[in-house]
């Protein structure tokens, strides 16, 4: 079974631009979560999508948004990029059972490395 | 809010020596606990997790961790380090019983293995 895929793997943008990152979960996984990883702040939760609905959101400004499609693929968008948005953005998918338990393992993709100049 | 503390941002061991990576959490209700490993330019790979039951959990690549409620700890160990274990290790927690799957991560421990 193919793992979580993220495109593109590397991206360079300039301040003020916007960017869209894509994530394809493992087949059958219905939950997709996004995380930001930076040397200064470490790994931080951005948001989770399940059944095309945002279920949870981390403490990030409204410039960060996302969506999920009916095939569970997800995109995240960052508008009006700032230098501090330079980071590795990780997507994780999990198989959500009928109980919706948070014990489900999150499987991570390789990430998209965004550089903002 | 939950928090996770990993003592030691860098740990260096000799090949064949014991690996001990420390993780403590702060939460009034014991959370679900995870250890992930990250190799350079890669995503995170789950080593092991504790949700319920036996407090000593065995994972992949010879790693294990023990949940100690009284110490609010979930330290990761491996009896004998291998060169291939050099990587960054993250302890993470998620809420128990809420269905909220967001992971809160520690700051990570970079493991160096000396020949």
């Amino acid at each position: 079974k193919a793992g979580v895929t993220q495109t593109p793997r590397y991206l360079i943008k300039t301040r003020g631009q916007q960017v869209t990152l894509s994530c394809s979960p493992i087949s059958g996984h219905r939950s997709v979560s996004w995380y930001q990883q930076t040397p200064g702040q470490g790994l931080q939760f951005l948001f989770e999508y399940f059944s095309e609905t945002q279920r949870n959101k981390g403490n990030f400004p409204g410039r960060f948004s996302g969506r999920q499609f009916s095939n569970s693929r997800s995109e995240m968008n960052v508008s009006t990029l700032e230098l501090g948005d330079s980071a590795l953005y990780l997507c994780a998918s999990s198989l959500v059972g009928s109980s919706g338990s948070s014990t489900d393992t999150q499987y991570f993709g390789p990430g998209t490395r965004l550089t903002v100049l | 809010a939950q928090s996770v503390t990993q003592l030691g941002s860098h740990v260096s061991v000799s090949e064949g020596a014991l690996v001990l990576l420390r993780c403590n959490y702060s939460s009034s209700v014991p959370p679900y606990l995870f250890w992930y490993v990250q190799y350079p330019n890669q995503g995170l790979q789950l080593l092991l997790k504790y949700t319920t039951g036996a407090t000593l959990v065995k994972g992949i690549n010879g790693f294990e961790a023990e949940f100690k409620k009284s110490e609010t700890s979930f330290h990761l160990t491996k009896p004998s380090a291998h060169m291939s274990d050099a990587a960054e290790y993250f302890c993470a927690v998620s809420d128990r019983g809420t269905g909220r799957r967001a992971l809160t991560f520690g700051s990570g421990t970079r493991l160096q293995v000396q020949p």
Side-chain angles (χ1 to χ4, degrees), chain A residues 41-96:
Chain A
Q41 299 299 317
L43 279 154
Q44 293 183 287
F45 171 74
L46 279 156
F47 29 65
E48 180 203 0
Y49 285 86
F50 175 63
S51 293
E52 303 176 62
T53 302
Q54 187 181 91
R55 298 302 175 115
N56 293 293
K57 189 177 191 304
N59 189 25
F60 279 82
R63 299 186 297 108
F64 291 82
S65 62
R67 59 177 175 168
Q68 186 180 35
F69 302 95
S70 58
N71 62 359
S72 296
R73 191 176 69 86
S74 176
E75 290 181 346
M76 68 163 281
N77 183 276
V78 187
S79 62
T80 320
L81 283 166
E82 299 176 0
L83 295 179
D85 297 334
S86 295
L88 181 66
Y89 290 89
L90 293 164
C91 165
S93 75
S94 59
L95 176 68
V96 179

